[in-house]
């Protein structure tokens, strides 16, 4: 049974930083592309960042480029999202997602991902 468990969310002031983690189990982690999405109240879930199965390719939403960094540790079955210079508009529930993928393949559409975590709340105060 595949499980993805996010952690690291919380409340932070604008300009601050948070680091999210996603612990994966029940899959061969190094065969899966990983992604982060977020969903704000009343809005649809949106793509934030993704990383290929071996970590060689990353892609970011324009809104987070230069502020967020996605990474992974295949030895520890974890993916991470380092969020710096946070803005109030970053406030949302953040989800990690996994999808079996080729060596350097990345997906940005949430319909492409097969497994999801339960989400972690990130709140940025102004």
């Amino acid at each position: 049974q595949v499980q993805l468990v996010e952690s690291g969310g919380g409340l932070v002031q604008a300009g601050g930083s948070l680091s999210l983690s996603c612990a994966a189990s029940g899959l061969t982690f190094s065969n899966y592309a990983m992604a982060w999405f977020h969903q704000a109240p009343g809005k649809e879930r949106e793509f934030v960042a993704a990383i290929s199965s071996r970590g060689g390719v990353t892609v970011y939403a324009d809104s987070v480029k230069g502020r967020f960094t996605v990474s992974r540790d295949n030895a520890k079955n974890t993916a991470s999202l380092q969020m710096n210079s946070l803005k109030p508009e970053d406030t949302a529930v953040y989800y990690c997602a996994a999808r079996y993928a080729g060596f350097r393949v990345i997906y940005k559409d949430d319909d492409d991902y097969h497994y999801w975590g339960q989400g972690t709340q990130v709140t940025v105060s102004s």
Side-chain angles (χ1 to χ4, degrees):
Q1 179 182 359
V2 175
Q3 280 195 317
L4 302 177
V5 180
E6 301 97 336
S7 61
L11 173 64
V12 64
Q13 287 189 332
S17 298
L18 280 175
S19 181
L20 305 183
S21 292
C22 175
S25 60
L27 50 71
T28 303
F29 188 68
S30 59
N31 288 341
Y32 283 74
M34 300 296 295
W36 292 91
F37 292 79
H38 70 197
Q39 186 168 21
K43 295 187 176 182
E44 293 193 351
R45 189 161 54 191
E46 295 180 337
F47 172 79
V48 176
I51 186 166
S52 60
S53 60
R54 306 299 172 89
V57 180
T58 57
V59 64
Y60 297 91
D62 288 343
S63 60
V64 307
K65 279 181 183 176
R67 300 189 298 123
F68 290 11
T69 302
V70 62
S71 61
R72 65 189 296 155
D73 184 339
N74 285 353
K76 296 182 178 179
N77 286 8
T78 59
S80 300
L81 184 68
Q82 177 65 40
M83 305 185 295
N84 298 329
S85 303
L86 282 160
K87 304 175 181 179
E89 51 263 44
D90 295 320
T91 295
V93 177
Y94 283 72
Y95 300 90
C96 69
R99 183 221 158 100
Y100 185 86
F103 189 46
R104 292 177 66 83
V105 178
I106 278 189
Y107 301 88
K108 296 175 64 175
D109 191 327
D110 58 358
D111 286 341
D112 290 323
Y113 285 85
H114 302 149
Y115 302 107
W116 292 84
Q118 82 289 350
T120 186
Q121 176 70 45
V122 170
T123 303
V124 184
S125 63
S126 57

